[in-house]
Amino acid sequence: MAKPAKNLFDPKSFLAEVGVGKSISKLSKGQNVFAQGDVADAVFYIQEGKIKLTVVSDQGKEAVVGILEPGQFFGEGCLNGHPLRIATTTAMEDSTITRISKKAMIAALESKPKFSHLFMAYLLARNSRIEEDLIDQLFNSSEKRLARLLLLLANFGKEGSPQPIGVNISQETLADMIGATRSRVSFFMNKFRKLGFISYNGKIEVHSSLLNAVLRDKSEIDRED
C-alpha cells in the first residue's frame, strides 16, 4: 500500500504568503522600506522589483552600496544583534516585498530546514559578492569596476540569457557604486557604446562583447584613447 504523500514545505511559497509575523507590502518607486537609524526588528524578502541600499556618513556624504533583486533578502542585520538600521532601503521601481518579524524569522530558521538552506545560500552568495566587490575596489581600475557592475546588473553569469538592465540607473548612482565621479562614468559609458559593448534602447543593454573584453588580460577596456 502506497504511503500518503507528505506535506512538502516550499520556502518560496512560505515567503509569498501572509502569516504569523509575516506581511506583504507593495511599494511605489522612490518609497523607503526603512531608513538609516530606524529600529531593526524584521527581515525583508523581495518578491518583485529592485531595492537600493544607501548609507550616509557622519559628514553627510551619501553612497549607494547595493542594488537588490527578486529572490534576495535584506535587513538581516537584526538577527546579528544590530539594534538600528545601518542603511536606507528604497524601491527603485514598483516592488513587492515580504516582511518577516525577527521572532518569526528565527522560528522559521529553527523549525524549517529547507528555509534555513535557502537563507544560508543567500548569505553565502552575498558574502562572496562582498569579497569580490572588495577585491574589485582594491585592484581594478574604475573603468573595469564599471564594466563589472554593468555585467552584474545585466545578470551575466546567471542561468539564462542576459537581459537589458531592467531599471533606470543614473550615472550618479553608478558613480557612487564604483567610487568614481559622474564625469568619468559618462566618459566610460560613451566609450563602451562606441566599442559596441553596450547600447541604449530605452534601457541600457549590455552585450557579451563587454564580458569578453573583461575576461581578456589585455582588453579594449584598458586601451588608452
Side-chain angles (χ1 to χ4, degrees):
M1 182 175 178
K3 294 181 179 179
K6 294 182 179 179
N7 185 20
L8 298 178
F9 173 77
D10 181 2
K12 297 292 181 66
S13 297
F14 170 76
L15 288 164
E17 297 170 352
V18 174
V20 177
K22 290 188 299 172
S23 60
I24 296 174
S25 301
K26 292 187 179 295
L27 306 177
S28 300
K29 179 180 178 180
Q31 186 175 349
N32 284 353
V33 183
F34 54 74
Q36 188 171 334
D38 285 353
V39 174
D41 58 358
V43 178
F44 296 85
Y45 176 81
I46 305 172
Q47 293 188 37
E48 297 176 347
K50 285 186 172 63
I51 302 294
K52 176 174 66 175
L53 278 67
T54 58
V55 295
V56 179
S57 70
D58 292 338
Q59 294 73 35
K61 184 176 180 180
E62 184 178 277
V64 178
V65 296
I67 295 176
L68 305 179
E69 300 180 337
Q72 293 185 297
F73 294 87
F74 62 98
E76 67 275 8
C78 68
L79 302 176
N80 196 34
H82 290 175
L84 302 176
R85 300 298 187 188
I86 61 174
T88 295
T89 51
T90 308
M92 300 185 70
E93 58 189 23
D94 292 348
S95 303
T96 302
I97 62 168
T98 302
R99 179 188 185 276
I100 310 113
S101 70
K102 179 179 177 180
K103 181 179 179 180
M105 188 72 180
I106 292 173
L109 291 172
E110 291 178 344
S111 64
K112 303 183 186 302
K114 287 187 177 181
F115 180 71
S116 297
H117 294 161
L118 176 71
F119 188 64
M120 180 64 71
Y122 155 77
L123 291 178
L124 291 172
R126 185 162 184 179
N127 184 65
S128 295
R129 171 69 185 274
I130 291 172
E131 290 179 351
E132 291 168 359
D133 287 346
L134 178 59
I135 293 170
D136 195 33
Q137 290 286 340
L138 289 174
F139 297 111
N140 286 335
S141 66
S142 56
E143 191 171 1
K144 279 190 174 179
R145 294 200 300 273
L146 176 60
R148 176 175 174 268
L149 176 59
L150 292 174
L151 290 168
L152 289 170
L153 291 172
N155 292 324
F156 271 90
K158 296 184 179 181
E159 292 183 4
S161 300
Q163 300 293 323
I165 295 174
V167 64
N168 291 323
I169 299 178
S170 68
Q171 292 187 353
E172 288 86 354
T173 296
L174 292 173
D176 285 343
M177 296 186 73
I178 66 168
T181 63
R182 182 193 175 283
S183 61
R184 291 300 289 166
V185 167
S186 178
F187 173 79
F188 296 145
M189 292 291 280
N190 286 330
K191 179 179 177 181
F192 291 170
R193 183 166 53 81
K194 290 177 181 177
L195 290 170
F197 295 159
I198 64 173
S199 59
Y200 296 96
N201 186 20
K203 298 183 183 296
I204 300 172
E205 295 183 349
V206 181
H207 302 159
S208 60
S209 55
L210 179 60
L211 177 61
N212 294 334
V214 169
L215 293 176
R216 287 196 292 270
D217 290 336
K218 295 181 179 180
S219 70
E220 292 91 337
I221 285 183
D222 286 324
R223 189 178 66 197
E224 295 293 335
D225 289 321

